[in-house]
Amino acid sequence: MPGKELLSPCMDCREAEAVFLIRSRHLCRNCYVRFVGHKVLRRTEQYRLRRSAPGTPRGKILLPLSCGLASSVLLHMVYTQMKEQRSRPHAPEGFDLHVLIIDPSSISSSSPPLGEALELLQQRFPLASFTQLPLHAAFELVPDLGGVLPRYAGEGFNKDDASLSPKEHLDAFRASISSNTSAADVDSVLVTRLIVAFAKRNECFGIIWGDSDDRLAAKTLASVAKGRGSSLTWQVSDGMTPFGLEFRFPLRDLFTAELQNYADCFAELTDIIKPDAPLSDNILTKNLSIDQLMLRYVSSQGAKYPGVMSNVTRTANKLQASQLSTNGTRCALCDTLICNSKGVYNQALHDTSPSQLCYACDRSRPGLS
Ligand SMILES: [Zn+2]
Ligand SMILES: [Zn+2]
């Protein structure tokens, strides 16, 4: 029986109407989902193929979820793979998936709280486990962190008020930082510290981050501008980190627009995803943090020249860890190793305070940036 006449048949299956154009291929919905899903599958393959020793539990992976587009799509993709794998007899055990949500309203007062999202997520993704924490939970999970904040913020921060709750303590600290770049930088450091500490407490062996290609490009450019270039080997590259955990970025081959098309294919994602507030063009450039500035740049230029942005990310992924000497001292704020190489940064050698800062954290302090 002759098939239905198609106006624009899918270039892969030729059985359905093409609805998406990706990398010069016109694909139907199913083939599109398979195509982008495969890009993530390749990046998580070694996790899926893990076999645990007899009698031991599966290894655990942490997925930090902001309920933005990218991390929600990553959750959906990884979960779909996990479910498919568990339905097959004799398949390797793979991994257990833990999801950590940091309450966005605890990071920015302009973000609404997540409300019912946690229950909804647990219903939709029953094989994964979910935890929600506020950003100030970092003080509980990383007890030394409270002590370093006065060192970072300097005079403007009243450190001695013991009556403050963790939330008030964090609010007071952030209120003392007037520079947008310092505030965004320290927020991202605190978010990473909280996520890493949570992953360790829950014995996860790795963290998978939902950064798309363009986000990674923006992160690369911003890190270099902020003096955090040496952390690119783990901030945007797949592999081991100074924290003793693996970081992976399975969405590194996909652009935001491609993730949006994927999300549009699944009704169960639409009420989970909280769209990012667009960066208004009316905000003066001087009022943007370096991170926002780079994101704006990459979003506008990436749409015109996607290849250039992929190049930034691909190049950063090939970087090797710094060979600068270190005596093993860690930065009290960001927990990375402090380099002692002469002429690069040697203040740490003369600094005997218990809360030493690395070059990037010291440079990012308000008043200096
Ligand atoms: Zn097709
Ligand atoms: Zn640091």
Side-chain angles (χ1 to χ4, degrees):
M1 195 175 85
K4 185 169 72 150
E5 193 76 5
L6 296 169
L7 290 171
S8 163
C10 164
M11 288 165 84
D12 274 8
C13 68
R14 308 229 149 250
E15 286 171 2
E17 205 70 70
V19 283
F20 294 115
L21 173 66
I22 179 167
R23 323 278 165 107
S24 313
R25 298 188 69 74
H26 292 274
L27 300 181
C28 70
R29 177 193 177 278
N30 290 348
C31 292
Y32 180 86
V33 166
R34 197 179 322 117
F35 181 85
V36 293
H38 184 73
K39 291 199 173 288
V40 170
L41 197 72
R42 272 193 318 138
R43 299 267 171 205
T44 52
E45 184 114 63
Q46 68 198 88
Y47 291 164
R48 286 185 308 110
L49 299 180
R50 280 173 70 99
R51 287 186 188 274
S52 321
T56 58
R58 289 189 191 98
K60 294 178 206 163
I61 284 195
L62 185 72
L63 188 160
L65 181 74
S66 66
C67 290
L69 171 69
S71 57
S72 305
V73 165
L74 180 62
L75 168 63
H76 191 273
M77 286 176 165
V78 171
Y79 188 85
T80 308
Q81 294 163 11
M82 203 172 102
K83 206 166 111 192
E84 193 273 327
Q85 177 157 352
R86 293 204 186 164
S87 69
R88 279 187 285 131
H90 314 302
E93 290 91 344
F95 56 86
D96 272 339
L97 187 61
H98 280 231
V99 179
L100 173 65
I101 308 165
I102 301 182
D103 184 353
S105 63
S106 72
I107 301 176
S108 163
S109 53
S110 59
S111 302
L114 284 173
E116 314 283 285
L118 199 62
E119 290 96 84
L120 200 63
L121 285 160
Q122 194 67 75
Q123 276 168 20
R124 302 242 167 109
F125 305 98
L127 298 176
S129 55
F130 291 82
T131 306
Q132 184 177 330
L133 292 175
L135 184 56
H136 56 258
F139 293 134
E140 188 201 320
L141 285 166
V142 190
D144 296 341
L145 205 53
V148 72
L149 302 187
R151 169 78 201 275
Y152 178 87
E155 308 272 294
F157 177 53
N158 178 9
K159 57 192 180 214
D160 293 325
D161 195 343
S163 63
L164 295 181
S165 68
K167 181 182 182 312
E168 290 163 339
H169 190 63
L170 181 64
D171 287 347
F173 169 63
R174 291 158 102 209
S176 73
I177 302 173
S178 53
S179 144
N180 287 336
T181 292
S182 298
D185 191 47
V186 82
D187 275 354
S188 75
V189 168
L190 294 178
V191 165
T192 307
R193 297 265 344 233
L194 172 56
I195 292 170
V196 166
F198 181 84
K200 284 184 160 177
R201 183 172 284 195
N202 288 281
E203 299 172 329
C204 298
F205 64 87
I207 301 180
I208 46 175
W209 300 87
D211 292 282
S212 57
D213 180 88
D214 29 3
R215 284 257 168 190
L216 287 174
K219 218 161 132 184
T220 303
L221 300 175
S223 294
V224 172
K226 292 189 295 184
R228 294 198 184 277
S230 63
S231 65
L232 285 178
T233 47
W234 54 268
Q235 277 217 330
V236 299
S237 313
D238 294 333
M240 193 41 96
T241 65
F243 316 119
L245 291 167
E246 280 179 27
F247 279 11
R248 277 186 190 273
F249 303 85
L251 300 179
R252 65 167 58 258
D253 300 318
L254 294 166
F255 300 115
T256 299
E258 293 166 351
L259 300 179
Q260 186 62 59
N261 286 342
Y262 179 95
D264 292 344
C265 293
F266 296 96
E268 66 264 36
L269 275 173
T270 47
D271 53 353
I272 287 173
I273 296 174
K274 309 269 178 283
D276 293 336
L279 276 177
S280 163
D281 287 339
N282 298 328
I283 301 179
L284 288 176
T285 304
K286 72 179 172 68
N287 291 337
L288 292 172
S289 67
I290 289 176
D291 301 76
Q292 289 171 316
L293 198 61
M294 288 302 143
L295 199 55
R296 182 191 270 186
Y297 172 74
V298 165
S299 320
S300 61
Q301 297 304 303
K304 284 185 244 164
Y305 314 108
V308 176
M309 296 311 156
S310 319
N311 230 343
V312 171
T313 316
R314 244 182 270 134
T315 307
N317 197 29
K318 288 181 195 149
L319 293 171
Q320 303 286 316
S322 161
Q323 300 299 313
L324 294 176
S325 65
T326 165
N327 64 5
T329 309
R330 284 173 178 267
C331 171
L333 185 61
C334 73
D335 200 31
T336 56
L337 291 166
I338 294 178
C339 294
N340 290 335
S341 177
K342 255 197 166 145
V344 176
Y345 182 62
N346 58 13
Q347 186 186 326
L349 291 175
H350 311 294
D351 189 343
T352 51
S353 86
S355 46
Q356 292 183 22
L357 298 179
C358 70
Y359 169 72
C361 288
D362 194 57
R363 227 191 97 190
S364 110
R365 291 171 58 213
L368 296 177
S369 51

